[in-house]
Amino acid sequence: MSKIIDGKAVSSAVKESIKNEVSALKEKGVSVGLAVILVGEDPASKIYVANKKKACEQLGIISQEYILPENTTEKELLKLIDTLNSEKTINGILCQLPLPRGIDEQKVIKAISPEKDVDAFHPQNVGRIMIGDFDFVPCTPAGIIEMLDYYGISAEGKTCVVIGRSNIVGKPMGMLLLHKNGTVTICHSRTKNLSEITKTADILVAAVGKAKFVTADMVKDGAVVIDVGMNRDDGKLCGDVDFDEVSKKAGYITPVPGGVGPMTIAMLMKNTLTAAKKQNGIIG
Ligand code: GUN
């Protein structure tokens, strides 16, 4: 049986430390503020945004929410971002994706000031991750690295396989594991002989978006299996990994829920704190 990587416990520890730092900054007269923009009615996005607000409240971070109607124009959204870019009390700006059709996602991402881009989606921040000189890390891959560190799991010299090549998870995940001296392969929908590759993984990250996609025969004995999935299977929340079977074989595994999910929000809070410290000259 594998050990469970408890994302809730790790995220609580991270959040506790952020809460203390936020409170210490407040005593110095420095506030920390995050603006979250949601356009439209996507039900999953509404839940994410509500959770982000709750986390801000728990940690003493000022949270501003902008809930805009589905028919918001790109121009209106860009105008709001422009205003928030120059708003001193706002240190971080997050525009929840996906955006409704008709709004150019990349244009919106590029409009957010790189100094306030707590998602690390702006091309400038993406480039900085590539060269290993970054302030912000995309929240999901950052949360995964934090969990590995917490459990003393090193990627150094390990075979790391990431399934999924999205800009939000797969690509930055591969890059962070590479910075940790892992030997990284990124697989995707056109990969041939996928299970031959996944079976070589010491660390396997599944970010596919398909319920129970990773089965036990795709996993090496004792591997560390990280499940980024958030799917519904017969109405029940489940990951990209067939947990019941894979957990009999893996060395470590993240559950869904209670694995990667809670870490993502904790890392958003961490990036927001970093943004506030940088903007106030507390760190370089
Ligand atoms: N939609 C799904 N994940 C994310 C995320 O990490 N950031 C933003 N902005 N939108 C998302």
Side-chain angles (χ1 to χ4, degrees):
M1 251 342 235
S2 48
K3 291 200 181 85
I4 303 290
I5 297 181
D6 184 349
K8 264 193 180 165
V10 186
S11 78
S12 292
V14 172
K15 285 199 283 189
E16 189 58 32
S17 132
I18 296 170
K19 189 178 174 180
N20 292 336
E21 270 205 70
V22 170
S23 154
L25 285 178
K26 208 175 266 175
E27 282 182 14
K28 287 192 208 159
V30 175
S31 66
V32 182
L34 173 69
V36 176
I37 307 168
L38 172 64
V39 188
E41 299 289 330
D42 182 66
S45 292
K46 280 186 180 173
I47 296 170
Y48 293 141
V49 168
N51 287 340
K52 284 164 188 170
K53 184 181 177 191
K54 205 168 101 190
C56 284
E57 283 165 0
Q58 283 172 351
L59 306 189
I61 294 176
I62 298 160
S63 136
Q64 283 186 8
E65 259 187 276
Y66 295 86
I67 312 289
L68 309 179
E70 183 85 21
N71 62 358
T72 301
T73 63
E74 186 179 281
K75 199 172 161 199
E76 287 165 336
L77 180 55
L78 293 174
K79 188 159 174 259
L80 170 62
I81 290 171
D82 200 38
T83 306
L84 294 171
N85 278 341
S86 43
E87 178 62 63
K88 282 272 179 293
T89 57
I90 291 300
N91 307 107
I93 303 168
L94 178 143
C95 184
Q96 188 67 30
L97 304 178
L99 288 164
R101 243 182 281 169
I103 300 184
D104 181 343
E105 219 155 80
Q106 280 307 316
K107 214 166 170 180
V108 171
I109 287 170
K110 283 182 198 155
I112 296 174
S113 158
E115 286 75 31
K116 296 191 177 184
D117 171 36
V118 285
D119 263 325
F121 291 168
H122 189 286
Q124 184 175 309
N125 289 322
V126 175
R128 291 185 62 185
I129 291 163
M130 188 86 158
I131 59 175
D133 166 32
F134 48 83
D135 300 315
F136 304 128
V137 194
C139 302
T140 301
I144 292 169
I145 294 292
E146 191 82 23
M147 282 196 291
L148 294 177
D149 286 348
Y150 188 92
Y151 281 84
I153 301 165
S154 166
E156 175 105 19
K158 301 272 175 64
T159 299
C160 305
V161 176
V162 180
I163 319 175
R165 57 173 156 181
S166 70
N167 290 336
I168 297 184
V169 183
K171 286 182 202 163
M173 185 75 253
M175 205 46 70
L176 294 187
L177 289 166
L178 186 59
H179 289 318
K180 291 277 188 185
N181 298 319
T183 301
V184 178
T185 304
I186 300 180
C187 301
H188 47 80
S189 53
R190 306 282 174 90
T191 297
K192 299 228 171 25
N193 304 322
L194 178 66
S195 63
E196 293 307 310
I197 299 168
T198 58
K199 268 193 285 195
T200 66
D202 300 310
I203 298 176
L204 178 62
V205 179
V208 195
K210 285 185 188 155
K212 298 181 183 172
F213 180 83
V214 174
T215 46
D217 58 306
M218 296 168 74
V219 176
K220 181 161 95 174
D221 269 326
V224 176
V225 179
I226 306 290
D227 190 349
V228 182
M230 195 68 100
N231 313 293
R232 294 259 162 208
D233 189 47
D234 278 339
K236 198 170 155 242
L237 191 64
C238 81
D240 290 347
V241 175
D242 181 355
F243 183 88
D244 291 345
E245 293 306 314
V246 173
S247 61
K248 291 177 190 159
K249 206 170 177 189
Y252 287 88
I253 190 166
T254 62
V256 176
V260 174
M263 289 307 299
T264 299
I265 293 201
M267 301 322 282
L268 172 67
M269 301 295 117
K270 193 170 175 181
N271 280 344
T272 306
L273 174 62
T274 301
K277 289 199 286 191
K278 281 196 73 82
Q279 287 158 33
N280 286 281
I282 294 161
I283 52 171

